Amino acid sequence: MSVRDRLLVLLAGVLVLATVAGVAVWRAAERADRKNQVQAGGPAVHAGTVSLAGSGGRRIVFRSMAWGPHRDELASVPAADPEGSRTASGVKCLRFYAAAGTGICLQAERGPVNDTYRALVLDAGLHTTRRVDLAGIPTRARVSPSGHLVAWTVFVGGDSYAGTNFSTRTSILDTRTGVLQPTLEDYTVTRDGKRLRAADLNFWGVTFADDTHFYATAATGGHTYLIRGDVTAKTAVTLRTNVECPSLSPDGTRIAFKKRVPGLSPDAPWRLYVLDLATLRDHPTAETRNVDDQAVWLDDQTLAYSLPGDYGSDLYTTPATPTGTPHLLTPSALSPSWLG
Amino acid sequence: MYVSESRGSTPAAASRSAARGLPRPGRRSAVASTVLALGAVSLITDISSEMVTAVLPLYLVTGLGLSPLGFGLLDGVYNGFSALVRLVGGHLADRGGRHKQVAAFGYGLSALCKPLLLAAHTLPLIGAVLAADRTGKGLRTAPRDALISLSSPPQGRGRAFGVHRAMDTTGALLGPLVAFLILRQAADGYDAVFTVSFCVAMVGVLVLLLFVPSRAREAAAPGDGAERPSLRAAVALLGRRELRGLALCAVALGLATVSDSFVYLMLQRRLGVPDRWFALLPLGTAAAFLLLAVPLGRWADRVGRWRVFVGGHVALLLAYGLLLAHLRAGVLPYAVLALHGTFYAATDGVLMAAAAGSVPAALRSSGLALVQTGQAAARFCCSIAFGAAWTAFGDRSALAGAAVALLASVALSIRLRPAEAV
């Protein structure tokens, strides 16, 4: 082939490939635009005021994923009418949690090239009282029952060629003093009485018992552990293995968690379980599908969690016992908190 | 030469230089057109692969809603497999002088993995696709480096590898930019990113097929007749004093080379780099690598590749020292990243340039694969040992241990001093 021929072949190839690439980007942009238009039959959403205060009736505040102008905004619905019209706040969050008038909102910030992430501490009126830049993609957020402590977890991504090494970073912030503990890796962790020190030690999914004690997941060497941590002493001990994304019941006696159940397909390895803290024995819940979420207790008997849905994810509830039936709470919603 | 380099950064320009025919070893001003073409292929391919690498965590967590933790558990197993693949690629390329074909297969395999990512929605499947992608990378590396060395005059190999690595790194820096620009146009458009990545990778394969001459056969012709490219001959390469010494030193130094992710982790823990900068640390290394690859390659041609290669490890030793020092000056993280990038610029291509001189043309690909694999395996062992030392004694002691090992390896390398090939 002469040089001219080779150049022509290259040109033709580049043209074809550029067309394919252009069409792919165009179609994806169209699809992204559609998400800004209200979906037929989707939840009704209107702009309004959302409050995290204790007064104002029992309600659910969550990230509304319904298509339209208020997509990804914090919204509230009455707890008695979860499928009713949503009041959208104008504050966008990827992950959210609130208790006792304090909210934690993990949100994306549009940069010149890529998105960066930050954690915002919100007061009852959704005003930002503290802002912390994040090292990675938000995944979990929690507030202590008193509203004094907030915690979050982010994924820090792999940086090598086709690399698959991901790590998590979990931080705890005291909203009273403003003191930030940037990573639980600074804690002294003991397992069976011996100090655990490893480069591959990761933490995620904090759930607070009070303003000193919390539970979370720690992982090292391919195992996950339930840990009980002390914020003041900066210590933690492992309690048992195979507990991820713990969530403490309001009465403080049980922990809902996702369990990697042996024998399940590696595509869908997790089931929602409940652990009795007094006996450290666990039992399944009525939900039999794969749950990859940090569940939330509505009350001492019921759990809420998200499952993938047609428009983002949908919220379900289930009894915290092996018997009963899970119910769809509301579609296109994530990160719920029951307030009031 | 800077003119010809920048012109080489687009496929069309590379082809223009290719148009003038095969390299002219006598001319010191131009880098061989084949090197520029291979550089263009690497640049384009790196744009493609780094596009995927940049958005993968985001895709897994926000696009698919998966928890990617524990995903890296198979990395160790796969690293061993990858080393084997590299040796196989090197050997296959030497048999019948099929460097171009084997390289094209490797690039093609990686390209085909990109659309497969669209179909894989679970962690095990995505892991399998990424493994296939890296198999492609493992296969193509040694034949490509053999082609670079075979198409450059011996006295200009350091520069040729420097130019190639600089172009390669340029692609790696551009890839994430392209990916994020696409996500700007189309929110959550991960499928678009993967499709564009595939198209870009295919352009790379096209440039390779069209503009890289398959002339390794000529290089393997008379004079090298005694070296039949058999497996036995490839293994027998280690019987050569020069190459054995080189491989031994590369392994010894590799055993004390802490992996990048540990370096960044230490940067953060010891020097207090803020969280939000964490993702940008690899860019610092890449920038220094990009800027210094050509100058250090040329310098290696002048003062000796072995010297520069060992000198690169001294730069790494200095970086360890800064990480161990009890200082918290604002410039320290920059200094560590600059030294880390210098280490790569002085070692990555330079080692290949040095090794090329100790391997006959007919076995070039196998020989380079042997050295690369030895180095990679040693670095992998270092990672495991470093992780274990971290667990047992803490991060500071682990790094101090690595520094002592590196110092010993540098001393050993200076003492052994395999004869300079050129």
Side-chain angles (χ1 to χ4, degrees):
Chain A
M1 246 196 308
S2 78
V3 174
R4 194 167 156 275
D5 290 348
R6 281 185 283 175
L7 277 178
L8 282 175
V9 172
L10 179 66
L11 186 69
V14 168
L15 276 178
V16 172
L17 291 166
T19 310
V20 173
V23 168
V25 175
W26 176 72
R27 280 186 47 184
E30 287 277 287
R31 195 185 54 218
D33 279 344
R34 271 205 307 282
K35 289 187 182 174
N36 292 325
Q37 287 146 28
V38 179
Q39 94 223 42
V45 188
H46 62 274
T49 310
V50 171
S51 162
L52 305 181
S55 56
R58 184 82 170 152
R59 63 196 182 281
I60 316 169
V61 180
F62 57 97
R63 167 186 169 190
S64 172
M65 299 178 88
W67 288 9
H70 299 293
R71 190 163 59 97
D72 294 338
E73 289 181 12
L74 286 186
S76 77
V77 290
D81 183 20
E83 301 218 53
S85 180
R86 298 175 177 182
T87 307
S89 65
V91 177
K92 289 196 180 214
C93 303
L94 297 169
R95 292 289 189 277
F96 169 77
Y97 195 78
T102 301
I104 176 73
C105 166
L106 307 182
Q107 68 175 197
E109 186 176 20
R110 214 183 149 101
V113 181
N114 63 334
D115 287 349
T116 53
Y117 303 95
R118 57 191 183 185
L120 303 180
V121 178
L122 306 175
D123 64 13
L126 296 188
H127 303 294
T128 304
T129 59
R130 176 76 186 263
R131 184 200 141 129
V132 180
D133 289 311
L134 300 176
I137 306 155
T139 161
R140 306 287 177 229
R142 277 297 192 266
V143 179
S144 69
S146 67
H148 292 153
L149 300 183
V150 297
W152 61 78
T153 303
V154 297
F155 276 116
V156 183
D159 47 43
S160 59
Y161 181 92
T164 52
N165 269 319
F166 293 88
S167 59
T168 56
R169 189 152 308 152
T170 295
S171 314
I172 294 179
L173 173 70
D174 189 329
T175 61
R176 296 165 297 184
T177 61
V179 173
L180 173 71
Q181 298 183 345
T183 171
L184 292 189
E185 284 156 45
D186 296 336
Y187 276 48
T188 305
V189 184
T190 46
R191 178 180 59 188
D192 306 329
K194 284 172 70 180
R195 173 152 190 203
L196 195 58
R197 208 162 29 178
D200 71 343
L201 195 55
N202 281 291
F203 299 88
W204 64 92
V206 165
T207 182
F208 289 103
D210 50 45
D211 286 346
T212 308
H213 300 102
F214 66 91
Y215 296 88
T217 298
T220 179
H223 293 285
T224 60
Y225 301 89
L226 175 68
I227 57 163
R228 181 176 160 86
D230 185 315
V231 177
T232 318
K234 296 180 79 170
T235 57
V237 288
T238 62
L239 298 182
R240 60 158 270 179
T241 57
N242 200 2
V243 173
E244 290 182 66
C245 298
S247 176
L248 187 65
S249 64
D251 63 13
T253 61
R254 284 156 298 155
I255 276 186
F257 67 104
K258 60 182 219 207
K259 178 173 180 168
R260 196 177 273 273
V261 178
L264 292 180
S265 142
D267 302 353
W270 289 297
R271 294 292 181 269
L272 191 59
Y273 270 62
V274 170
L275 172 77
D276 188 321
L277 280 172
T279 62
L280 288 184
R281 290 163 67 131
D282 62 33
H283 63 76
T285 61
E287 176 57 78
T288 54
R289 287 168 288 185
N290 180 56
V291 174
D292 183 2
D293 193 12
Q294 186 175 18
V296 169
W297 295 80
L298 280 68
D299 51 47
D300 282 324
Q301 285 80 43
T302 321
L303 289 163
Y305 49 92
S306 70
L307 291 175
D310 293 337
Y311 303 96
S313 56
D314 302 333
L315 287 179
Y316 287 81
T317 59
T318 182
T321 51
T323 52
T325 331
H327 290 288
L328 176 69
L329 181 76
T330 183
S332 306
L334 194 69
S335 291
S337 293
W338 271 257
L339 300 171
Chain B
M1 83 173 265
Y2 289 104
V3 175
S4 65
E5 254 175 68
S6 59
R7 286 176 55 217
S9 58
T10 65
S15 63
R16 245 178 285 136
S17 358
R20 289 196 296 270
L22 299 174
R24 292 137 297 178
R27 297 233 335 229
R28 88 163 287 295
S29 59
V31 168
S33 60
T34 306
V35 173
L36 290 179
L38 285 168
V41 173
S42 288
L43 188 150
I44 296 167
T45 305
D46 263 47
I47 292 180
S48 160
S49 57
E50 292 301 320
M51 283 175 72
V52 173
T53 305
V55 303
L56 197 66
L58 205 58
Y59 172 62
L60 294 178
V61 179
T62 63
L64 295 179
L66 301 173
S67 302
L69 258 195
F71 197 40
L73 291 180
L74 281 176
D75 266 20
V77 180
Y78 191 71
N79 270 327
F81 178 62
S82 176
L84 265 179
V85 164
R86 209 189 299 236
L87 288 174
V88 170
H91 175 65
L92 286 180
D94 280 338
R95 272 182 32 191
R98 290 179 303 202
H99 298 79
K100 183 180 169 181
Q101 285 91 327
V102 174
F105 179 78
Y107 280 109
L109 179 62
S110 289
L112 289 176
C113 285
K114 268 70 186 193
L116 287 182
L117 277 177
L118 291 171
H121 291 289
T122 61
L123 284 182
L125 274 180
I126 292 170
V129 172
L130 292 179
D133 193 330
R134 292 205 294 189
T135 303
K137 185 180 166 64
L139 280 175
R140 72 196 181 224
T141 307
R144 181 202 62 206
D145 283 350
L147 276 174
I148 293 172
S149 73
L150 290 172
S151 51
S152 309
Q155 69 277 12
R157 273 186 200 135
R159 189 177 60 155
F161 276 103
V163 169
H164 175 268
R165 296 305 197 259
M167 292 175 78
D168 187 281
T169 310
T170 304
L173 285 169
L174 289 176
L177 269 178
V178 175
F180 289 123
L181 284 177
I182 293 171
L183 290 184
R184 271 277 166 276
Q185 291 302 305
D188 302 330
Y190 304 103
D191 52 343
V193 173
F194 297 149
T195 308
V196 173
S197 167
F198 164 70
C199 293
V200 172
M202 286 309 291
V203 172
V205 174
L206 260 182
V207 171
L208 175 81
L209 291 176
L210 290 169
F211 298 106
V212 174
S214 44
R215 34 164 239 92
R217 209 169 283 121
E218 298 165 35
D224 282 324
E227 302 283 355
R228 302 293 308 160
S230 66
L231 265 181
R232 184 176 303 167
V235 174
L237 279 173
L238 285 178
R240 294 174 169 246
R241 222 186 119 260
E242 251 175 53
L243 190 73
R244 191 176 56 223
L246 202 70
L248 191 69
C249 291
V251 166
L253 290 164
L255 281 172
T257 303
V258 171
S259 81
D260 293 3
S261 40
F262 279 127
V263 169
Y264 302 137
L265 213 56
M266 296 292 290
L267 253 175
Q268 199 179 28
R269 291 171 67 104
R270 302 235 68 89
L271 299 183
V273 174
D275 269 356
R276 66 202 135 103
W277 296 115
F278 189 74
L280 299 178
L281 295 178
L283 295 186
T285 301
F289 186 6
L290 169 62
L291 287 174
L292 294 174
V294 178
L296 287 179
R298 293 185 59 157
W299 197 45
D301 285 337
R302 269 208 311 278
V303 305
R305 282 139 203 169
W306 185 245
R307 228 177 251 178
V308 173
F309 178 71
V310 176
H313 286 84
V314 174
L316 184 65
L317 192 58
L318 287 175
Y320 288 1
L322 288 183
L323 285 170
L324 284 169
H326 271 297
L327 299 165
R328 279 228 167 188
V331 295
L332 272 186
Y334 297 99
V336 170
L337 290 177
L339 285 168
H340 197 227
T342 307
F343 158 68
Y344 275 112
T347 57
D348 195 65
V350 173
L351 176 63
M352 289 301 102
S358 329
V359 184
L363 288 168
R364 187 63 53 80
S365 193
S366 313
L368 295 188
L370 213 57
V371 175
Q372 285 171 347
T373 301
Q375 190 188 38
R379 286 184 179 176
F380 177 57
C381 291
C382 175
S383 276
I384 294 177
F386 190 81
W390 182 312
T391 305
F393 313 114
D395 57 349
R396 204 180 139 79
S397 311
L399 189 63
V404 171
L406 187 56
L407 191 63
S409 298
V410 167
L412 174 82
S413 302
I414 291 173
R415 213 182 128 75
L416 275 184
R417 201 161 193 254
E420 190 68 53
V422 178

